[in-house]
Amino acid sequence: MNELQRIQPLVYHIGDPLIPKDLSVRLDNEIPVYLIESGTEDIVRVEFTFKAGQVNEYLPLLASTTNQMLTDGSENYSAIELKELIDFYGSFINLYTEKDNAGLVIYILNKHIEKVLELAAEILFKPLFPENELRALMNKRLNWFRVNKEKVQNLAMDQFFESVFGKHHPYGRKFVVEDFENMTALVLKDFHQKYYKAENMAIIISGKIPENAVTIINRLFGSLSSPNIYIEDPGNKLKGSTKKKVHIRHSGSTQCSVRIGSDTINKRHPDYPGLKVLDAIIGGYFGSRLMKNIREDKGFTYGIGSYVTSLDLSGYKVISTDVGINNTRKAIDEIYKEIELLHREPVKKDELEVVQNYMLGDLIRMFDGPFACADSFKSVWEFGLDYSYYYRLSEKIKTITPDEIIALASTYYKLEDLYEITAGDL
């Protein structure tokens, strides 16, 4: 063996991430534009984000269907023409719909920025929602829905959201077959008119930004205006179910899907950084307590994990795994046992150091390149925060104490507050 292979690599202290500064400007119509200048290649990523997510829809599937159909034909181009032009200019488009927001991300070669942004304006503000394309999309989505409805993982997660947020709230509402059959071009146009407008919009540009980028964007988007449109408030309130344990029987399944969690705080709350550390200890990385216990020691599952997600109106935390039918109850008991241990036993120094190093390394990766920086910026900007959130997170990771972890576990992981959702042939 080479002598160098016997020498352990040096271990370096992980410092704070190098976070680039963001510059913000406003277009003539007050649309905010955030510029994250970084990178060496002549390419930019432009994201158009709207407050047009699932939480805004007054019919199930409305937000996602509206967004998906933006490239299915416009006033001046057919769907095929739009796709061919995007390919011709070497661009790539990603449409997305989340619980709170929806939008379009487009990657552009700098030499084609004006032409591609013209196409983006066409896609975002002049869609036609042709009826034939809509029917084809809904048939495709319905087939996908029927296939995924047979998977216990999806059954469990859908029920988790319904239990936590309430079956009438957009965060928790389940889909049914009729939702796919009742969608019409008229309601898509109505939703688009109400939510894809200047007042609901922001633009985030990252990469090696051309000097004329803001000028082009202002010409194309700075004169947008919208009539004052009354937007219905469905009056839906976040209201979790009083039934804490739900089992969905699915005949023939060899595994049972388990989801245990509840609603929780979001990034605006000062305890959120500490809660992220607690989540990592429980199940937030491959060396977590749940992985060591339920995967490595007991062999009940191939994988188990937990995560905390921040939403505009709330947040949620969930422990997720799939286990063999015969080991379901044993695995659930072990999950509760690990939570109870965090209530009363201080985390040991060596375990905490491993978690701290993992999280600090992950934090640095969140700023590895201009596009990652843009994603990290957006994930705090959506909550009215800025990059200082990451410095607070970094500081909490480095300074959190075992006593703080016990206090957080006792506050946010009360067993009586947790929902237990299972789906399988039990």
Side-chain angles (χ1 to χ4, degrees):
M1 182 183 291
N2 188 306
E3 186 62 32
L4 289 176
Q5 292 178 292
R6 300 177 182 273
I7 302 174
Q8 178 178 322
L10 295 175
V11 176
Y12 296 95
H13 172 71
I14 298 177
D16 289 327
L18 296 175
I19 302 176
K21 292 182 179 180
D22 62 277
L23 172 67
S24 63
V25 297
R26 287 189 176 268
L27 304 185
D28 290 345
N29 57 359
E30 296 300 312
I31 291 175
V33 179
Y34 302 94
L35 301 100
I36 301 170
E37 178 72 50
S38 181
T40 58
E41 304 299 326
D42 288 327
I43 186 171
V44 292
R45 189 182 88 159
V46 182
E47 178 168 358
F48 302 89
T49 184
F50 299 83
K51 295 177 181 177
Q54 182 181 342
V55 73
N56 302 107
E57 62 187 15
Y58 39 88
L59 290 174
L61 299 170
L62 185 51
S64 59
T65 304
T66 301
N67 186 264
Q68 281 184 263
M69 289 201 67
L70 290 176
T71 55
D72 284 336
S74 68
E75 291 180 8
N76 296 302
Y77 301 101
S78 68
I80 293 175
E81 288 172 332
L82 284 172
K83 291 176 174 63
E84 287 179 344
L85 282 168
I86 291 165
D87 288 342
F88 176 79
Y89 290 116
S91 292
F92 172 75
I93 280 182
N94 178 43
L95 295 165
Y96 68 88
T97 306
E98 301 168 342
K99 289 194 180 295
D100 294 313
N101 300 291
L104 176 150
V105 177
I106 186 163
Y107 296 84
I108 308 172
L109 297 172
N110 286 0
K111 62 182 179 180
H112 297 314
I113 187 169
E114 187 164 10
K115 292 291 186 182
V116 176
L117 286 176
E118 288 175 357
L119 284 175
E122 180 84 15
I123 289 168
L124 287 170
F125 298 105
K126 297 180 180 180
L128 291 181
F129 305 110
E131 195 69 44
N132 60 329
E133 299 284 354
L134 173 59
R135 294 275 61 85
L137 174 62
M138 298 317 292
N139 287 335
K140 181 179 178 180
R141 293 189 71 182
L142 179 56
N143 290 334
W144 177 87
F145 168 75
R146 284 172 170 156
V147 170
N148 283 277
K149 194 177 178 182
E150 298 302 311
K151 299 177 182 179
V152 291
Q153 298 93 331
N154 296 323
L155 292 173
M157 203 66 213
D158 288 347
Q159 182 60 52
F160 175 80
F161 284 130
E162 180 182 292
S163 294
V164 170
F165 297 120
K167 64 182 180 180
H168 298 298
H169 193 275
Y171 282 173
R173 190 164 48 205
K174 290 181 183 177
F175 302 141
V176 296
V177 171
E178 289 74 20
D179 295 330
F180 297 85
E181 298 172 343
N182 295 334
M183 193 62 57
T184 68
L186 186 62
V187 296
L188 297 181
K189 291 175 182 177
D190 179 68
F191 185 84
H192 179 270
Q193 185 182 25
K194 289 175 178 175
Y195 292 101
Y196 284 77
K197 57 182 185 175
E199 296 94 316
N200 274 359
M201 179 181 176
I203 303 172
I204 303 170
I205 312 174
S206 57
K208 190 176 180 181
I209 303 173
E211 292 182 1
N212 62 341
V214 175
T215 301
I216 294 170
I217 288 173
N218 191 54
R219 177 176 66 81
L220 293 171
F221 302 98
S223 60
L224 294 173
S225 61
S226 307
N228 291 324
I229 299 173
Y230 173 73
I231 298 175
E232 299 93 336
D233 179 2
N236 292 331
K237 304 299 181 183
L238 293 169
K239 186 178 181 181
S241 171
T242 57
K243 188 177 181 180
K244 294 295 185 179
K245 295 185 179 183
V246 178
H247 175 67
I248 304 167
R249 183 173 177 77
H250 190 69
S251 299
S253 60
T254 58
Q255 286 194 315
C256 185
S257 197
V258 179
R259 302 294 184 271
I260 295 174
S262 67
D263 63 320
T264 193
I265 56 178
N266 64 18
K267 287 177 182 174
R268 298 187 187 100
H269 196 286
D271 283 349
Y272 193 80
L275 184 60
K276 293 291 285 185
V277 179
L278 174 60
D279 175 68
I281 294 169
I282 296 172
Y285 77 115
F286 195 78
S288 68
R289 290 187 174 190
L290 290 174
M291 283 291 282
K292 288 178 179 177
N293 180 343
I294 296 172
R295 180 183 189 270
E296 296 176 15
D297 294 345
K298 306 295 189 305
F300 291 159
T301 182
Y302 181 77
I304 183 170
S306 67
Y307 52 93
V308 176
T309 299
S310 187
L311 302 174
D312 184 40
L313 302 180
S314 182
Y316 65 91
K317 57 185 181 294
V318 62
I319 295 167
S320 171
T321 189
D322 297 322
V323 299
I325 296 296
N326 295 333
N327 292 320
T328 300
R329 192 67 250 170
K330 295 175 185 176
I332 292 172
D333 290 343
E334 290 299 322
I335 291 171
Y336 290 135
K337 186 184 296 183
E338 291 295 344
I339 294 173
E340 288 176 324
L341 282 174
L342 284 165
H343 286 184
R344 62 177 186 269
E345 293 187 8
V347 177
K348 290 184 171 54
K349 181 181 178 182
D350 56 347
E351 180 187 9
L352 184 55
E353 286 179 349
V354 170
V355 171
Q356 289 169 322
N357 286 334
Y358 165 78
M359 293 189 70
L360 289 170
D362 193 53
L363 187 57
I364 289 174
R365 284 192 292 273
M366 293 173 66
F367 296 90
D368 184 13
F371 305 150
C373 291
D375 285 335
S376 297
F377 169 81
K378 181 190 170 191
S379 73
V380 292
W381 165 81
E382 292 173 336
F383 297 92
L385 305 173
D386 55 29
Y387 278 144
S388 63
Y389 164 82
Y390 293 107
Y391 290 115
R392 294 196 301 274
L393 175 60
S394 176
E395 187 64 21
K396 178 54 65 177
I397 293 169
K398 289 184 286 188
T399 61
I400 195 167
T401 66
D403 286 343
E404 284 183 85
I405 293 169
I406 288 176
L408 287 165
S410 300
T411 301
Y412 296 107
Y413 275 89
K414 295 177 180 177
L415 296 187
E416 62 269 23
D417 292 339
L418 300 177
Y419 290 89
E420 179 188 305
I421 311 299
T422 53
D425 194 4
L426 290 180

